[in-house]
Amino acid sequence: MVTIWPVDKLPEKREMLQRRHQNFETFIHSLARDKKRPAMQYYEGVEGMKQAYRRLLDQGKETLHFF
């Protein structure tokens, strides 16, 4: 049994593959962009603010003012 690839489906297949390629490139680009963002951490309440302040002071990069 011989299967013949329908010629009329080729443009649809090509378009689908191009979309997949673009989606993959967008995904890879988003990963590279996210590497530049700082890690997020959630602190709650007064004790959380104390922990955040201690962590910031331990890094020694920035100064934080809390009122």
Side-chain angles (χ1 to χ4, degrees), residues 6-51:
V7 177
D8 59 333
K9 298 274 184 178
L10 286 177
E12 292 175 17
K13 280 286 195 184
R14 185 178 297 122
E15 186 176 320
M16 182 192 63
L17 289 173
Q18 286 175 342
R19 277 195 308 253
R20 282 186 183 178
H21 181 72
Q22 288 173 349
N23 289 343
F24 184 73
E25 283 183 345
T26 302
F27 173 70
I28 295 298
H29 181 69
S30 72
L31 291 178
R33 183 179 59 228
D34 287 343
K35 284 183 181 180
K36 297 176 185 175
R37 294 182 184 172
M40 293 180 63
Q41 191 163 355
Y42 178 75
Y43 298 99
E44 186 176 341
V46 176
E47 286 301 313
M49 289 302 296
K50 289 178 184 178
Q51 290 174 0

